[in-house]
Amino acid sequence: MGGGPSGIMAAQAAAESGMSVILIEGKSFLGGNLTIGLPILNFHGQKGNQIIKGLPAKFVDRLANMGGASAIQRCPLHMSITFIEPEEAKLAAINVMRENNVSVLLNTFCVDTIVEGTDLKGVIIENKGGRSAVLAKVVIDCSGDGDIAFRAGARFEKGNSKGLMQPATLEFCLKNVDIDKLRYSVYTYPETYDTTVIPAEYYRENRYFILVGLQEQMRQAKRDGLELPVDTTVIVTGLGEDEIWVNMTRVLGTDGTDAASVTNAEFEARKQIDHLLKYFRGYVPGFENCYVSRTAPFIGIRETRRIVGKYTLQREDILSRRQFEDGVAVVSYPLDIHQPDGNGFSLEWSGDCYDIPYGSLVPEKINNLLMAGRCISASHEAMASSRVMGPCMAMGEAAGRAAYLAVKHGITPAEVDTRELRGELLDRGAFLRT
């Protein structure tokens, strides 16, 4: 359930092992967060080595061959970045499903589950054709919100100690941007155009980049009367030569599992775009004649339910660079928390990578169910690192391989031998710490 970065990888991994797989997606396309203008982050670790390989790397290679992705590029702030074209990502996802004979249902929602005791037998779906049941030996919840697990009765957590979740953001794309003028200004006048952690020289050397900073420009714009939702400029180059994606709308108090709350967030974020556009045109070099060419197809939700699993990944696991015997994915992204009750964000690095244990993909008490993506079992702080697309893709592959082994041996996912699972992942080209 869920055709985003983790769901695509999970479906492919299970299907190429010979399983009969159906992928259910509520939107009219596949790709999820691959389609909202964000780059793929964290294929490399803080020491420069590539830590996400296997199916995620093959997907990026496919995109690049289609002209829909840049090379994987090192970044001082985000470890590594792959810039992608959203429309090509949608097509690549469709092609992967077709090549692996995955049945796909779009515009289809899971509205309930079929549970006998503690065994999940399948899901109830609804679409234009009405309501029906899909039975399965294993269900993988890649919904981002833990929808299947929630409906099956799994325990979950939401937000920080106060129940507050990270804010929602609607990405939007600006065209007719003179990107070379922006780069020249940043690396020539770094005292004027501060870029925080990323050195100014980076912008001289790289045509594609994420820019985080320009706080003085934002302060001046606010003094001049603009209502800006954040204090820091965060922009991402698109693959087009004059294209910039903006990651700066911010709606506090959004609950991504509540339709009214998400609707309000969509409306509020669109109101914010007008002032942000005025900011770019008036205060940032290269944006003088820019215009909004498109917005993301849906608002970006950073955090909702986190399902309680056999093991809950903790902040200390990340900062201590913990290696688990049942590790099924390796992550090196910092703790990246957008403050639930303000307009700032914090970044905290460990210096290297950590493992995501298989136990964080297996819910408590509900059999035949696996999790992948931002809704795995993790604390509020730990999820702020594991939630980005690179790790989610790696988790998806691990869940798909685990589902295959469970069906193959006639056991539940909780009973899968993690040594066999790790061997399967390594044999298929994934990277694990051994």
Side-chain angles (χ1 to χ4, degrees):
M1 178 65 193
S6 60
I8 294 166
M9 297 294 98
Q12 182 181 3
E16 71 176 17
S17 297
M19 299 294 100
S20 174
V21 180
I22 183 169
L23 177 63
I24 301 167
E25 167 57 47
K27 297 180 176 60
S28 62
F29 53 85
L30 297 179
N33 282 345
L34 287 164
T35 71
I36 67 174
L38 291 172
I40 302 172
L41 303 177
N42 195 215
F43 270 44
H44 286 73
Q46 292 170 42
K47 292 189 173 180
N49 57 317
Q50 186 168 342
I51 58 171
I52 294 180
K53 298 182 180 179
L55 292 185
K58 291 179 180 178
F59 187 85
V60 168
D61 288 344
R62 172 190 289 266
L63 261 183
N65 290 335
M66 295 168 60
S70 70
I72 300 174
Q73 178 178 307
R74 294 287 294 140
C75 174
L77 183 59
H78 303 90
M79 313 307 104
S80 66
I81 318 172
T82 304
F83 302 89
I84 59 175
E85 166 51 48
E87 296 306 319
E88 294 294 339
K90 294 176 185 177
L91 180 58
I94 292 170
N95 290 340
V96 167
M97 296 303 99
R98 285 175 170 167
E99 291 167 12
N100 288 277
N101 298 313
V102 174
S103 300
V104 177
L105 279 178
L106 301 177
N107 299 302
T108 300
F109 298 91
C110 171
V111 295
D112 207 346
T113 55
I114 303 168
V115 180
E116 296 179 3
T118 57
D119 293 338
L120 176 62
K121 297 293 187 178
V123 298
I124 305 296
I125 60 172
E126 188 160 0
N127 53 31
K128 288 287 188 179
R131 183 169 288 198
S132 56
V134 179
L135 304 181
K137 294 180 179 178
V138 176
V139 177
I140 307 176
D141 189 338
C142 299
S143 65
D145 301 313
D147 290 336
I148 304 296
F150 166 70
R151 287 175 172 81
R155 287 201 303 132
F156 66 93
E157 297 175 345
K158 267 185 176 182
N160 60 15
S161 59
K162 299 178 182 178
L164 300 175
M165 290 170 278
Q166 296 189 57
T169 294
L170 180 68
E171 305 284 326
F172 63 96
C173 181
L174 298 176
K175 293 282 284 183
N176 202 31
V177 179
D178 187 340
I179 293 174
D180 285 338
K181 181 177 180 179
L182 172 65
R183 293 169 60 213
Y184 177 84
S185 300
V186 168
Y187 73 72
T188 305
Y189 307 106
E191 68 286 351
T192 301
Y193 302 104
D194 176 50
T195 55
T196 59
V197 175
I198 302 177
E201 184 68 15
Y202 184 82
Y203 298 96
R204 184 182 69 83
E205 298 171 349
N206 294 285
R207 165 61 180 74
Y208 300 112
F209 53 82
I210 293 179
L211 188 153
V212 179
L214 276 57
Q215 292 175 322
E216 177 52 37
Q217 284 70 31
M218 298 205 72
R219 284 190 287 267
Q220 184 58 54
K222 289 183 178 183
R223 287 192 291 266
D224 292 342
L226 287 183
E227 297 176 9
L228 302 177
V230 291
D231 294 329
T232 302
T233 301
V234 183
I235 53 178
V236 182
T237 49
L239 292 186
E241 63 179 17
D242 64 344
E243 181 177 276
I244 289 283
W245 284 89
V246 181
N247 183 5
M248 293 169 63
T249 65
R250 176 168 300 226
V251 186
L252 300 174
T254 301
D255 183 345
T257 65
D258 181 271
S261 181
V262 174
T263 300
N264 174 72
E266 293 271 7
F267 290 172
E268 176 60 30
R270 292 182 187 280
K271 285 170 55 180
Q272 294 175 6
I273 290 175
D274 182 55
H275 277 245
L276 287 166
L277 178 60
K278 291 175 181 176
Y279 160 69
F280 280 106
R281 285 175 172 171
Y283 299 86
V284 185
F287 288 79
E288 294 83 358
N289 299 303
C290 70
Y291 62 92
V292 177
S293 66
R294 51 180 163 162
T295 59
F298 56 91
I299 197 163
I301 302 295
R302 292 183 173 90
E303 176 181 13
T304 54
R305 303 185 191 100
R306 307 184 312 277
I307 304 305
V308 177
K310 301 294 184 182
Y311 182 83
T312 299
L313 189 69
Q314 301 291 337
R315 175 180 184 273
E316 293 74 21
D317 295 328
I318 293 172
L319 296 181
S320 67
R321 305 179 291 277
R322 185 168 178 184
Q323 185 169 353
F324 291 88
E325 288 187 0
D326 65 340
V328 292
V330 181
V331 184
S332 193
Y333 197 68
L335 293 164
D336 179 6
I337 300 179
H338 292 246
Q339 301 305 328
D341 54 358
N343 59 9
F345 61 91
S346 62
L347 293 166
E348 193 171 3
W349 290 264
S350 70
D352 202 355
C353 22
Y354 66 92
D355 292 351
I356 292 180
Y358 180 62
S360 290
L361 276 59
V362 182
E364 285 185 335
K365 300 179 181 178
I366 305 297
N367 294 326
N368 310 324
L369 176 63
L370 284 164
M371 318 295 303
R374 72 167 185 258
C375 56
I376 66 163
S377 185
S379 70
H380 168 74
E381 294 84 2
M383 188 279 304
S385 169
S386 62
R387 66 183 172 83
V388 296
M389 283 191 278
C392 286
M393 295 172 82
M395 284 185 251
E397 178 174 5
R401 305 284 182 213
Y404 154 66
L405 292 176
V407 174
K408 174 185 176 183
H409 296 306
I411 57 178
T412 68
E415 297 170 314
V416 166
D417 184 337
T418 55
R419 291 170 298 179
E420 184 180 12
L421 173 57
R422 283 170 54 86
E424 179 78 13
L425 286 164
L426 289 169
D427 289 346
R428 296 283 190 164
F431 174 86
L432 297 175
R433 296 195 292 176
T434 56

